[in-house]
Amino acid sequence: MRSDTVKRGVARAPHRALLRSLGCTDRELEQPFIGIINSFNEVIPGHIHLRTIAEAVKGGVRSAGGTPFEVNTIGVCDGIAMGHLGMKYSLPSRELIADSVEIVAQAHAFDALVFITNCDKIVPGMLMAAVRLNIPSIFISGGPMLAGHWQGGKVDLNTVFMAVGKLATGEMSEKELDELERVACPGFGSCAGMFTANTMNCLTEALGMALPGNGTIPAVDARRLGLAREAGRQVMELLAKDICPRDIITREAIQNAFIVDMALGGSTNSVLHLVALAYEAGIDFPLSAVNEISEKTPHLAKISPAGERHIEDLDLAGGIRAVMGRLMSRLNLEVKTVSGKSLAESLAAMEPVVKDERIIRPLSQPHSPTGGLTILFGNLAPEGAVVKSAAVAPQMLSHKGRARVFDSEEEATEAILNRSIKPGEVVVIRYEGPKGGPGMREMLGPTSLLSGMGLDDKVALITDGRFSGATRGAAIGHVSPEAASRGPIAALRDGDMVVIDIPNHKIDVELTDEEIKQRLSELPKFELRVKTGYLRRYAERVTSASRGAVFET
């Protein structure tokens, strides 16, 4: 066992003395050491209850003969960080999370790991750590929040963001906004729609790194605690069989995750994170492969923000296993899972059944014949850009409009609030990429304002930054290369004609290659916006969004 490094032999008497000071008994010292990597904190709604999840996990570990040690890592609430300096730290936190897990697991020689996670950058950060360490591991999320109820319908956090735009146009009063604010997020859990957190939790299940139910069982449901105990027990099985993350997270497993992602119409951030995970695992997975998957995968479930349903509805309809059951003919069924079985064996044991075909449609009646995410290429994004095509109004799938160019999110937000953006235009927000921001901020504020003002089916928005999983409309992000790296987006000027053709995977500006090259040559040298601290170090090392915004190694 790896833990023998810190507990076996005469030379390790000091180490054992320290472990005994924790209350460890002889028996507990003999057993495998299991690291419980918990992202509990008291500022993220999706994490406030994770102490309870951890206790259930530890109970499962103990019942199967392991000695659990709970440790913590950091987390950022994207909703609270949105629209100000804090959002610059969200994506960069992913690398810190992966690094911190590596440090604590290696320093204490854990034999296996249980990852307790829930929200946006914490899930992929932990997945990256798991493949990097490659010791037996399993994931358990805290589960999704229930939707709120207001004026006879269901609401979620995105409803509140959009309401700010409605207030600006006079469609909603301050009193109504106050009422909505108080009921939209009724309790703990990851925000109730198919936003980034829930997308990644569902995809962790699809990857085979979590047990069935991980992505959709609500945070308040007693089944969540049962699943946590089972995860604790199952990690001991993985240890006994020496099944490690790189046995599970293969190219085929990542492809499976993308297939499920397309069927769900998940967050655009999933592209960034799955590409980063592939890089960490040493797997070549180009962005162009995502479109190949999308072309062959029907969009089966429209969950908020693409539709009116929420994760709780998806769970009642059968969850991710039911979605995967629908997709069996398209999935690689021989991949391993943390159940200890192949995906084929796991699905057969579960007998996945769709309980509501209004929520998970049959293959013969999809929302669309192709997937909910699309990668665009063209002279404006030679390395690619991503759009949640499932949440784009049909009339905006192909769009041609004049550019309105802004060099920061704040400038664009001010213009939108001042109602200076006209129907038909293309809002361009640049210098918000991984290096330029730095940190590749999410643009939920501008997109929600446009939606709230009734412009999401009339105005497109493109950026080298990111979009929240809650974003809807013709919002195209991850434009690569970014402006700070002198990508073509840096050459745009007000009035340039931008052509968006989502069905044909294209995004172009009506400029010649020579015109773009000439404009870029006239630009001053880009200076990093931050001079000190972690963001400076991040900006110096981070790579393009097309590579997952990973660190150069």
Side-chain angles (χ1 to χ4, degrees):
M1 291 189 292
R2 279 167 46 96
S3 59
D4 287 350
T5 303
V6 298
K7 67 185 182 184
R8 295 285 185 191
V10 173
R12 294 298 182 250
H15 305 63
R16 290 193 296 274
L18 290 168
L19 291 165
R20 291 184 191 281
S21 77
L22 302 175
C24 289
T25 64
D26 287 347
R27 179 179 177 181
E28 288 170 330
L29 289 174
E30 287 293 322
Q31 294 177 157
F33 285 3
I34 311 300
I36 312 300
I37 312 295
N38 193 355
S39 52
F40 162 80
N41 62 60
E42 293 185 336
V43 72
I44 307 180
H47 295 243
I48 187 69
H49 63 303
L50 294 189
R51 279 178 173 165
T52 305
I53 297 290
E55 288 305 315
V57 168
K58 288 187 283 188
V61 169
R62 291 189 184 103
S63 72
T67 301
F69 294 94
E70 183 182 350
V71 296
N72 282 86
T73 188
I74 64 166
V76 171
C77 177
D78 277 26
I80 296 173
M82 195 73 66
H84 59 90
L85 175 66
M87 182 46 71
K88 291 180 182 286
Y89 286 88
S90 176
L91 181 60
S93 75
R94 186 188 71 184
E95 315 310 310
L96 277 179
I97 290 163
D99 290 349
S100 67
V101 173
E102 176 189 357
I103 288 169
V104 75
Q106 296 286 46
H108 300 99
F110 293 139
D111 296 301
L113 300 171
V114 181
F115 290 88
I116 304 175
T117 184
N118 220 21
C119 291
D120 295 20
K121 310 307 169 294
I122 301 145
V123 184
M126 288 187 173
L127 283 167
M128 291 165 68
V131 295
R132 184 186 302 176
L133 290 163
N134 202 37
I135 61 177
S137 300
I138 194 168
F139 278 65
I140 173 70
S141 78
M145 184 186 294
L146 296 178
H149 293 264
W150 186 65
Q151 293 188 349
K154 288 185 177 180
V155 294
D156 54 41
L157 180 65
N158 191 45
T159 317
V160 187
F161 272 102
M162 291 176 59
V164 176
K166 292 183 177 181
L167 181 69
T169 61
E171 291 182 54
M172 180 178 282
S173 68
E174 287 190 27
K175 182 177 182 295
E176 288 176 311
L177 179 59
D178 179 72
E179 291 173 356
L180 173 61
E181 167 195 328
R182 294 174 186 276
V183 299
C185 299
F188 55 81
S190 47
C191 296
M194 191 58 75
F195 313 143
T196 304
N198 290 324
T199 297
M200 292 308 301
N201 284 326
C202 290
L203 298 189
T204 301
E205 186 178 332
L207 279 168
M209 285 299 296
L211 296 172
N214 180 74
T216 61
I217 295 174
V220 298
D221 196 312
R223 290 177 296 153
R224 176 63 56 181
L225 291 178
L227 190 68
R229 278 191 292 275
E230 186 57 33
R233 286 190 288 268
Q234 187 60 29
V235 78
M236 299 303 295
E237 287 289 322
L238 296 172
L239 178 59
K241 296 176 180 178
D242 194 30
I243 298 175
C244 297
R246 291 198 183 202
D247 298 321
I248 296 170
I249 299 178
T250 60
R251 193 183 197 284
E252 291 75 20
I254 290 176
Q255 182 168 312
N256 282 351
F258 268 120
I259 290 170
V260 173
D261 198 11
M262 294 300 170
L264 295 173
S267 165
T268 53
N269 284 313
S270 62
V271 176
L272 193 73
H273 299 321
L274 288 176
V275 169
L277 178 62
Y279 176 86
E280 192 73 57
I283 298 166
D284 180 33
F285 207 100
L287 280 180
S288 56
V290 178
N291 279 337
E292 295 171 12
I293 294 169
S294 181
E295 286 298 306
K296 300 174 183 177
T297 308
H299 181 201
L300 302 180
K302 273 204 171 186
I303 310 298
S304 175
E308 300 302 316
R309 307 289 187 173
H310 291 82
I311 303 296
E312 63 199 71
D313 302 309
L314 180 61
D315 183 62
L316 291 172
I320 299 306
R321 281 305 187 223
V323 174
M324 296 180 81
R326 282 272 200 251
L327 297 167
M328 284 182 68
S329 62
R330 290 161 170 79
L331 296 170
N332 186 310
L333 299 175
E334 300 310 309
V335 295
K336 291 183 178 179
T337 72
V338 291
S339 69
K341 304 171 184 175
S342 69
L343 179 58
E345 292 168 332
S346 179
L347 288 175
M350 292 289 296
E351 296 184 1
V353 175
V354 174
K355 300 173 184 177
D356 190 336
E357 293 195 340
R358 297 170 301 172
I359 297 170
I360 304 173
R361 288 193 174 186
L363 292 176
S364 60
Q365 297 178 319
H367 291 285
S368 68
T370 57
L373 297 174
T374 304
I375 309 298
L376 309 180
F377 295 95
N379 71 352
L380 191 49
E383 294 179 6
V386 62
V387 60
K388 189 169 185 171
S389 44
V392 178
Q395 63 267 36
M396 292 297 292
L397 290 171
S398 296
H399 180 74
K400 185 174 182 179
R402 298 285 179 187
R404 289 288 305 279
V405 183
F406 304 93
D407 286 346
S408 72
E409 178 188 0
E410 288 81 4
E411 290 179 16
T413 299
E414 182 179 359
I416 294 169
L417 285 171
N418 290 337
R419 308 188 73 173
S420 71
I421 304 299
K422 307 301 181 188
E425 291 182 331
V426 176
V427 177
V428 178
I429 306 177
R430 63 189 179 189
Y431 294 102
E432 290 286 5
K435 187 181 299 291
M440 205 180 182
R441 285 193 287 181
E442 290 183 349
M443 304 292 157
L444 182 57
T447 56
S448 295
L449 287 171
L450 290 171
S451 293
M453 292 175 170
L455 292 173
D456 58 321
D457 60 351
K458 302 175 182 67
V459 171
L461 193 155
I462 66 173
T463 180
D464 53 8
R466 296 182 297 123
F467 291 114
S468 164
T471 292
R472 59 191 293 175
I476 299 164
H478 307 193
V479 172
S480 301
E482 62 176 297
S485 296
R486 289 298 177 258
I489 192 172
L492 286 181
R493 297 173 182 171
D494 282 348
D496 287 340
M497 189 64 72
V498 176
V499 183
I500 299 166
D501 185 355
I502 295 173
N504 290 303
H505 314 149
K506 293 186 69 63
I507 181 168
D508 292 291
V509 58
E510 291 187 343
L511 296 172
T512 66
D513 291 345
E514 281 303 312
E515 286 174 315
I516 293 173
K517 185 177 179 181
Q518 178 62 35
R519 288 188 186 183
L520 292 176
S521 70
E522 296 169 357
L523 295 174
K525 180 181 178 182
F526 175 75
E527 297 287 340
L528 292 178
R529 286 174 166 174
V530 291
K531 306 302 180 186
T532 61
Y534 177 61
L535 283 183
R536 175 73 184 199
R537 298 195 299 276
Y538 180 85
E540 289 172 343
R541 294 197 58 197
V542 71
T543 59
S544 169
S546 63
R547 296 177 58 189
V550 295
F551 279 174
E552 194 73 70
T553 55

